[in-house]
Amino acid sequence: MDKLLELLKDGHARTTLMLASELNTTTSDIGRKLEYLENMGIIKKVSLSSSSCTGSCTGCSFCDEGNKKSGCNACIPDKEILNMGEMWEVIDYK
Amino acid sequence: MSEIVTIALLGQPNSGKSTLFNALTGLRQHVGNWPGKTVEKKDGSFSHNGKIYDIVDLPGSYSLSANSDEEVITRDFIASGRADVVCILADSSQLERSLFMTADYAGITVPSFLVLNMADVAREKGKNIDVNVIEKNLGIPVILFSANDKKGYEPFYKALERAVTDKSIIDASSLEQEYAGINGYNEIKEMVPDGLISGYSPMWIAIKALENDPVVIEKLKTGLDPEKTEKIDSFRKSVQGAVEAGGAKFAWIDSVLSGAVNEKNENITLSKLDRIYTNKTWGKPAVVLTILIGLILSFIPALPLMGVGMGIAALKAPIGEWLISAGCPDILIAIINSVIIQSFAYIFQMLGFVFGVTLVFGLLEEIGIMARVSYVFDNTMGKLGLQGKSVMPFLVSFGCTMGGAAGSRVIENWGQKVLTIALAWAVPCGAAWSVVPMLSTLFFGPGAVLVIVAILLTMILHMWITAKIFGRNLITQENRYGMIMEMPPYHKPKWGALLRYVLGRTKDTFIRVTRVVLVVCTVFWLLSYSFVSGSDPILYKIGMAIEPVTKIFGLNWKLFMAFVASSIGKEGALGVISALFNGGNFYGAFSDAMSGGAVAADLNNTLLTNVTKPEALAFIFAITFNMPCVVALAATYQEIHSVKWTAKIAIYYTLGALVLAAVVYHIGILIW
């Protein structure tokens, strides 16, 4: 797992497929390690959906109309068509 | 052991605990909350072979670390000694992952047995699992099981009885060998006395200490003398304990599963398209080309709505004639024609582009290409001093800068957030894309594509310069880790969902644009209208006074007024042009038009007659790189909570747009 994080120190983004290839392992092995690191607070999943909307964007008609709980679909596409995969960032590793 | 045997169900979420619990207890169950927590507690009972079993469904949790209420409840329950046996559930279809709970449980001295649930799913995936190998490696009863197959529960009961009779405990000797490789593990373990936490071995406590488990560390502080806790602290700080412990557990899981699971080998290959997009040399050109093609293609779906806009514009002459014949006052006819009809004509033409751009970029996202765009530009973000995730607000800003500003809330670092928003302002928003292609096409015909390319290149340069200027004060140099991305598979678009989204965005834009255009257009038209015959309107007087200065930027006073209006909303710029060039009694255009003066009635021709190509180019660049709109300004303040930085960014963009206009104007003079 150290090797995985050390690889990322060069600042270059990598896909899970690339990590699996560089670490000579499988994507499911990378997947379980990411899950662990995320649970331990070492990496964090980046929110790509409108669910990060607090429902209070000034001037946003969607929020103004009282749709605060369901997120700001007018600003950011809702999950229905969001096909952006997953992204993680390292937040606590020295 | 008491006569009634208490079983605790332990497993990760979605491991099938609830299905098993419900099948075992039927109606003999009780649902409540764990004391002092909002976490649901489920307990019940069942009998088998004349023996009564109480069963507690522990909260689903990833592991036994004290990271959440669920995990703490689970640990406390096990430590309380109330469970006679723990049934650990794991997902058979992904054992390498789901056995983590078993690895985390190893070292706990409460008897246990392992249920490899969802055996049917594993079979469907072509996995053959030899439970005997796993059982031998773990030293506890292990069964392959499907909780939803109610006829197949006999192996479960047998494993339960064996675990209760044998008091089976996981053989953690090979796991401990893995732990022994972690710096400080052996030393910490030696310091931990037996029974420090009931039911938990020194091995388990030592590894949790290295994982910086707060509850365990607190127990060590209260249970050990200060000298020992200081030593433990120094070991903890010297290693990335959680990372190394995790690695050790996964290595152990692999050894437990070695020879027990047969499955097809994974083939790690990139698709042809991904080989291009992720190529170090060709990735960026490929992505830029994709975006350019997308922008060009977005003209096609824009055409029908543009046709509607042109149709509305064509109504001006007949409606004007009818109003004159009906004896309507001149001013009312002017308002209806030059403000209302003309505004809606432009609104629909703009909507065409909004529809086109949203459809094409929504399609690229739906197919999975936008994720590749994020990946390709991650490194570029690093060069700008930003994190890879900043690319998302930029992409969103192609639709709406306000959305981009709101999207920046995923960035925790304040300086990076401010810089991200500042750079997102340079990305032409949907409103700019609704005005710019139209003006470019009008003035430059097929050369509009070159104008758009120039705008995109300027955008990149603008972002780079802005990052250099603002970055000095906002970004502190720190180690930057690359992002990890899981690319979505390419798939066919869900047209229904995509169209719902595109139409929703178009409708939203229509409502917003109509408000802005009508208000801005009306105000500017009123200022440009001579209410006293023979006198110059207010706007004309102001315009003529400032024109010597605005001319430096290649903008005559009318275009400059439209530039000012674009600060409120870029959609308003065309409305203002419409009002100023075609409106009221200004230049007598309206009366000419109503009397059949085709030149004045047709704004496109009016613009072509009164605005030179260099001026048009200057105007296009000025409004594109001007501050996006007042709403984006408000959203920026809302995100960064700094009047100073919000004002700085707004002033920078206003002045920057004028400088850019001046530059392209003078380049334009050299060309034309």
Side-chain angles (χ1 to χ4, degrees):
Chain A
M1 207 125 48
D2 257 339
K3 285 181 188 167
L4 189 154
L5 293 162
E6 288 296 322
L7 267 183
L8 299 166
K9 271 188 174 172
D10 65 7
H12 291 283
R14 283 175 176 79
T15 65
T16 47
L17 211 59
M18 286 171 168
L19 284 171
S21 175
E22 284 185 63
L23 297 171
N24 198 25
T25 182
T26 60
T27 50
S28 52
D29 178 44
I30 298 295
R32 68 177 177 169
K33 284 173 178 165
L34 293 180
E35 187 184 25
Y36 172 76
L37 292 170
E38 192 181 341
N39 270 284
M40 297 305 286
I42 295 164
I43 64 171
K44 187 178 156 195
K45 198 173 273 184
V46 177
S47 171
L48 301 175
S49 77
S50 57
S51 57
S52 61
C53 173
T54 57
S56 57
C57 354
T58 312
C60 167
S61 61
F62 194 83
C63 290
D64 289 347
E65 283 162 19
N67 301 299
K68 295 182 188 283
K69 282 182 185 169
S70 55
C72 176
N73 292 10
C75 304
I76 307 171
D78 59 13
K79 277 185 177 172
E80 202 171 11
I81 70 152
L82 199 75
N83 188 28
M84 290 296 290
E86 304 278 10
M87 279 190 204
W88 293 266
E89 60 179 331
V90 180
I91 53 169
D92 184 21
Y93 183 70
K94 289 161 194 164
Chain B
M1 191 181 289
S2 55
E3 279 182 23
I4 298 173
V5 175
T6 302
I7 313 165
L9 292 182
L10 175 70
Q12 294 178 335
N14 303 318
S15 58
K17 281 190 304 102
S18 295
T19 310
L20 176 62
F21 177 82
N22 291 333
L24 290 171
T25 58
L27 294 172
R28 284 166 299 180
Q29 57 173 270
H30 170 258
V31 181
N33 274 3
W34 290 91
K37 307 277 182 189
T38 52
V39 179
E40 188 180 77
K41 180 185 182 188
K42 285 165 81 178
D43 52 28
S45 63
F46 67 94
S47 59
H48 182 75
N49 283 346
K51 202 162 197 170
I52 297 169
Y53 296 88
D54 278 346
I55 184 163
V56 178
D57 186 7
L58 294 171
S61 61
Y62 174 76
S63 68
L64 292 170
S65 297
N67 291 330
S68 64
D69 277 351
E70 286 80 359
E71 286 167 333
V72 171
I73 287 167
T74 300
R75 274 169 40 165
D76 287 350
F77 184 84
I78 293 166
S80 72
R82 280 182 279 169
D84 296 310
V85 64
V86 173
C87 169
I88 309 168
L89 280 99
D91 179 352
S92 309
S93 65
Q94 39 182 344
L95 282 178
E96 299 86 350
R97 188 188 77 78
S98 65
L99 277 184
F100 188 83
M101 180 61 93
T102 311
D104 221 26
Y105 188 85
I108 294 175
T109 52
V110 178
S112 61
F113 66 107
L114 177 63
V115 172
L116 306 181
N117 197 14
M118 301 182 218
D120 48 341
V121 181
R123 263 194 306 276
E124 280 168 22
K125 286 187 174 178
K127 292 191 177 189
N128 292 313
I129 300 165
D130 187 342
V131 283
N132 294 325
V133 174
I134 301 173
E135 185 167 310
K136 190 180 160 209
N137 290 336
L138 288 177
I140 57 171
V142 180
I143 56 160
L144 202 53
F145 183 72
S146 291
N148 49 16
D149 177 14
K150 290 185 180 172
K151 291 177 185 169
Y153 269 60
E154 201 49 42
F156 171 84
Y157 294 123
K158 282 186 179 168
L160 167 63
E161 285 166 348
R162 274 174 59 205
V164 171
T165 310
D166 300 347
K167 296 186 179 174
S168 53
I169 293 170
I170 294 174
D171 176 4
S173 55
S174 56
L175 178 59
E176 188 157 20
Q177 282 173 17
E178 298 284 350
Y179 289 161
I182 303 171
N183 184 34
Y185 167 77
N186 287 330
E187 290 84 349
I188 295 175
K189 192 196 157 198
E190 276 177 23
M191 286 186 259
V192 179
D194 282 331
L196 182 72
I197 306 174
S198 173
Y200 293 80
S201 69
M203 178 195 95
W204 193 91
I205 293 169
I207 204 67
K208 285 292 166 195
L210 279 170
E211 288 175 14
N212 292 320
D213 186 293
V215 176
V216 166
I217 290 166
E218 199 51 44
K219 286 272 183 193
L220 288 170
K221 276 183 183 166
T222 52
L224 299 179
D225 60 64
E227 195 185 330
K228 283 183 177 172
T229 52
E230 255 179 51
K231 274 187 186 171
I232 291 173
D233 281 348
S234 69
F235 281 122
R236 284 197 302 116
K237 285 168 188 166
S238 68
V239 289
Q240 282 284 335
V243 175
E244 297 205 27
K249 284 172 191 168
F250 285 126
W252 179 73
I253 290 169
D254 291 344
S255 72
V256 167
L257 292 177
S258 176
V261 181
N262 289 322
E263 60 183 317
K264 288 176 193 166
N265 284 334
E266 186 185 272
N267 190 16
I268 303 176
T269 49
L270 290 169
S271 67
K272 281 181 188 172
L273 209 52
D274 273 349
R275 262 179 274 174
I276 298 169
Y277 282 131
T278 57
N279 186 285
K280 281 182 183 169
T281 312
W282 297 108
K284 275 197 183 106
V287 160
V288 170
L289 191 67
T290 306
I291 291 173
L292 277 178
I293 292 171
L295 283 172
I296 293 164
L297 288 179
S298 64
F299 278 67
I300 298 168
L303 288 173
L305 275 172
M306 286 176 73
V308 172
M310 287 159 81
I312 292 172
L315 292 174
K316 278 172 68 180
I319 288 178
E321 282 170 22
W322 179 76
L323 288 171
I324 288 169
S325 65
C328 255
D330 280 358
I331 189 166
L332 189 62
I333 298 170
I335 289 171
I336 291 170
N337 263 312
S338 299
V339 179
I340 299 173
I341 298 179
Q342 187 62 54
S343 295
F344 275 101
Y346 275 114
I347 287 167
F348 272 92
Q349 289 184 55
M350 286 175 205
L351 280 181
F353 286 109
V354 171
F355 179 81
V357 169
T358 314
L359 179 66
V360 170
F361 280 88
L363 186 64
L364 288 177
E365 186 176 309
E366 173 73 348
I367 293 169
I369 288 177
M370 290 308 261
R372 275 76 186 173
V373 175
S374 308
Y375 164 75
V376 169
F377 281 107
D378 177 78
N379 199 29
T380 311
M381 293 301 107
K383 286 177 183 160
L384 294 173
L386 297 173
Q387 297 168 23
K389 59 185 173 180
S390 291
V391 77
M392 291 312 299
F394 296 162
L395 292 176
V396 173
S397 292
F398 272 107
C400 173
T401 313
M402 188 186 70
S408 74
R409 71 187 52 152
V410 298
I411 300 161
E412 294 82 8
N413 180 293
W414 184 82
Q416 292 199 345
K417 182 187 282 192
V418 176
L419 186 59
T420 301
I421 295 178
L423 298 187
W425 276 34
V427 178
C429 67
W433 290 120
S434 65
V435 176
V436 169
M438 203 177 105
L439 281 178
S440 304
T441 311
L442 174 65
F443 281 94
F444 306 103
V449 174
L450 291 178
V451 174
I452 288 168
V453 171
I455 282 173
L456 289 175
L457 292 175
T458 309
M459 175 194 84
I460 294 165
L461 185 68
H462 196 312
M463 291 172 92
W464 185 76
I465 293 171
T466 307
K468 293 289 165 202
I469 293 171
F470 287 155
R472 280 179 299 196
N473 296 320
L474 292 171
I475 305 295
T476 49
Q477 208 60 36
E478 58 184 36
N479 288 338
R480 180 185 184 273
Y481 287 86
M483 298 282 288
I484 306 160
M485 297 181 178
E486 189 174 271
M487 293 293 173
Y490 292 108
H491 65 63
K492 288 179 184 171
K494 294 175 211 149
W495 287 105
L498 179 62
L499 284 174
R500 269 198 302 279
Y501 163 64
V502 174
L503 290 173
R505 275 290 298 273
T506 309
K507 180 189 151 203
D508 189 71
T509 307
F510 175 74
I511 295 165
R512 189 160 46 96
V513 162
T514 303
R515 284 180 201 152
V516 175
V517 169
L518 282 178
V519 170
V520 173
C521 187
T522 304
V523 169
F524 276 79
W525 183 85
L526 285 172
L527 289 171
S528 72
Y529 192 84
S530 293
F531 291 92
V532 179
S533 183
S535 68
D536 290 324
I538 301 166
L539 205 61
Y540 176 76
K541 289 174 186 167
I542 298 169
M544 291 310 287
I546 61 170
E547 194 167 64
V549 179
T550 65
K551 274 281 188 186
I552 298 168
F553 310 116
L555 304 173
N556 64 38
W557 74 269
K558 282 175 264 182
L559 291 179
F560 184 78
M561 290 300 173
F563 167 75
V564 173
S566 75
S567 305
I568 300 162
K570 286 180 180 169
E571 306 90 341
L574 280 181
V576 171
I577 291 179
S578 165
L580 293 182
F581 279 96
N582 200 25
N585 54 3
F586 201 63
Y587 289 133
F590 175 71
S591 54
D592 286 351
M594 290 306 102
S595 59
V599 171
D602 183 339
L603 180 61
N604 289 357
N605 287 335
T606 309
L607 282 175
L608 287 172
T609 308
N610 292 290
V611 179
T612 64
K613 280 185 177 179
E615 282 177 334
L617 197 63
F619 179 67
I620 287 167
F621 272 76
I623 62 162
T624 303
F625 294 104
N626 191 12
M627 60 175 269
C629 63
V630 283
V631 179
L633 186 78
T636 298
Y637 171 71
Q638 192 184 341
E639 292 304 324
I640 67 177
H641 306 293
S642 164
V643 174
K644 187 180 107 182
W645 274 99
T646 308
K648 260 188 187 181
I649 297 169
I651 293 166
Y652 171 81
Y653 270 86
T654 306
L655 296 178
L658 290 173
V659 170
L660 266 173
V663 171
V664 295
Y665 173 67
H666 287 96
I667 293 172
I669 286 175
L670 293 175
I671 300 171
W672 297 289

